[in-house]
Amino acid sequence: MARVARQTLIDDPRVTAFGILVEANARLERVMAKSLSEEVDIPLVYLEVLLRIARSPDRQVAMGELAAQISLTSGGVTRLVDRMTQADLVSRTTSSADRRVSYLGLTTLGGATLERALRVHLADLDEHFVSRLSTQELSSLVKILDKLRAP
Amino acid sequence: MARVARQTLIDDPRVTAFGILVEANARLERVMAKSLSEEVDIPLVYLEVLLRIARSPDRQVAMGELAAQISLTSGGVTRLVDRMTQADLVSRTTSSADRRVSYLGLTTLGGATLERALRVHLADLDEHFVSRLSTQELSSLVKILDKLRAP
DNA sequence: TAAGATTGAGGTTTCAATCTTC
DNA sequence: GAAGATTGAAACCTCAATCTTA
């Protein structure tokens, strides 16, 4: 019957599974963002940017690469970096090899802010993420999610 | 040493684990959104709303409940529903029991759009989500993420 | 007074067009 | 012409204040 078929479509376990992923992610991001905003006075995306820079070779990232890593468009990253530059957290330097690309680095304040933010973030992760899972569950989760991450 | 400590903080496995969750989620949402936009001409959040309504008792949801489910503020939901009403996908009806609350239901077009969108969405899920995991991995993932979802 | 929803103001992101450099 | 980054316009969301009903 059509009605039964429609019901099945709506409650399809694949749809539900994806929904649970989205919900878990949204909830965690909300919690992390609130905490960072209150205790370090930066939005969550700032931490993501600072972290990507710190983890990059020579602690420098090209704008385009950063855009891909944090899932924003190039225009979005341009403005985001504008704000972070205004706040003296990052600084731009144009590449000497290819003057179209501009590299992003941490300022002194940016490095210090990253460290403060990471301590707050780790406490949040312990409270809302790690403590809810066993060691095995956490490693399974990472292993599985990693398969979903690559293009 | 300070330098070693900082390095460890940046590469802490808990931070990395959360980062992988965010990346996997972002990538999947991007893919799903692109596909829905191209093939059904609706944003991903429209599907989320249509689905929440269809899954609710009597196929009706209060605005506030919807806001909690899809992780938006009440103001955000008001405008989202405005747009969807404009597109004749949903309709508001004020509750007779409590005239402060307004319930959201599917229009005929909304129901048909939901069905079309779900078929596209399921194909995407198979291609980018389900096919990358074993049956066991998928069920593990759901079980683990479910623990991270509750408040 | 409190709860549910809406509105105005402000901030962030996307999309498309543009500018610069290769 | 193509790639990397930026800009203007528009879309969307949040926050706080407001309106309505309980």
Side-chain angles (χ1 to χ4, degrees):
Chain A
M1 285 182 244
R3 218 153 74 96
V4 173
R6 188 177 305 135
Q7 191 68 18
T8 300
L9 206 56
I10 289 172
D11 292 326
D12 189 289
R14 293 165 291 179
V15 175
T16 306
F18 178 65
I20 289 175
L21 170 61
V22 172
E23 272 186 59
N25 180 79
R27 177 185 166 275
L28 287 175
E29 287 207 38
R30 225 177 22 242
V31 172
M32 305 298 159
K34 183 168 192 287
S35 193
L36 278 179
S37 166
E38 290 174 351
E39 298 185 38
V40 191
D41 198 35
I42 60 170
L44 178 56
V45 70
Y46 278 29
L47 171 57
E48 290 185 52
V49 171
L50 297 175
L51 202 48
R52 298 294 184 170
I53 297 173
R55 282 175 171 170
S56 297
D58 295 329
R59 291 170 90 88
Q60 300 257 329
V61 212
M63 299 287 283
E65 200 177 326
L66 181 63
Q69 289 182 353
I70 65 177
S71 234
L72 284 191
T73 62
S74 60
V77 167
T78 293
R79 263 108 178 195
L80 173 57
V81 169
D82 284 347
R83 275 172 275 144
M84 294 184 72
T85 302
Q86 202 65 32
D88 192 32
L89 295 170
V90 301
S91 65
R92 276 184 256 235
T93 60
T94 55
S95 163
S96 52
D98 182 342
R99 290 212 306 257
R100 291 173 301 177
V101 331
S102 88
Y103 281 106
L104 215 61
L106 295 176
T107 62
T108 305
L109 178 59
T113 303
L114 172 57
E115 204 162 324
R116 279 202 305 142
L118 272 179
R119 296 191 193 285
V120 171
H121 189 54
L122 276 168
D124 289 333
L125 287 175
D126 280 336
E127 181 178 352
H128 300 283
F129 187 56
V130 176
S131 69
R132 294 196 179 207
L133 307 177
S134 71
T135 308
Q136 280 192 343
E137 285 174 329
L138 186 56
S139 72
S140 289
L141 178 64
V142 170
K143 202 186 94 195
I144 295 169
L145 286 176
D146 198 52
K147 295 189 180 182
L148 299 174
R149 196 170 50 122
Chain B
M1 283 182 245
R3 217 154 74 95
V4 172
R6 188 178 303 132
Q7 191 67 20
T8 301
L9 207 58
I10 288 172
D11 291 327
D12 188 287
R14 295 165 289 179
V15 175
T16 306
F18 178 65
I20 289 175
L21 170 60
V22 171
E23 271 187 59
N25 180 79
R27 178 185 165 275
L28 287 175
E29 286 206 38
R30 224 176 24 244
V31 172
M32 305 298 159
K34 182 166 192 289
S35 193
L36 278 178
S37 166
E38 290 174 352
E39 298 185 37
V40 190
D41 197 34
I42 60 170
L44 178 56
V45 69
Y46 278 28
L47 172 57
E48 290 185 50
V49 171
L50 297 175
L51 204 48
R52 297 296 184 169
I53 297 174
R55 282 175 171 172
S56 298
D58 296 330
R59 294 171 89 90
Q60 300 258 327
V61 212
M63 299 286 283
E65 200 176 325
L66 181 64
Q69 289 183 355
I70 64 176
S71 235
L72 285 191
T73 62
S74 60
V77 167
T78 293
R79 261 104 179 199
L80 173 57
V81 168
D82 284 348
R83 290 185 308 260
M84 294 184 73
T85 301
Q86 203 64 33
D88 192 31
L89 295 171
V90 301
S91 65
R92 276 185 256 236
T93 60
T94 55
S95 163
S96 50
D98 182 341
R99 291 213 303 256
R100 289 174 302 181
V101 332
S102 89
Y103 281 106
L104 216 62
L106 296 175
T107 62
T108 304
L109 179 59
T113 302
L114 172 56
E115 202 163 325
R116 278 204 303 145
L118 273 178
R119 295 190 194 288
V120 171
H121 189 54
L122 277 168
D124 288 332
L125 287 175
D126 280 336
E127 182 177 353
H128 300 283
F129 187 56
V130 177
S131 69
R132 293 198 179 204
L133 307 177
S134 70
T135 308
Q136 282 188 345
E137 285 173 328
L138 184 56
S139 71
S140 288
L141 178 64
V142 170
K143 199 186 96 195
I144 295 169
L145 287 176
D146 199 51
K147 295 187 180 183
L148 299 174
R149 194 169 51 121

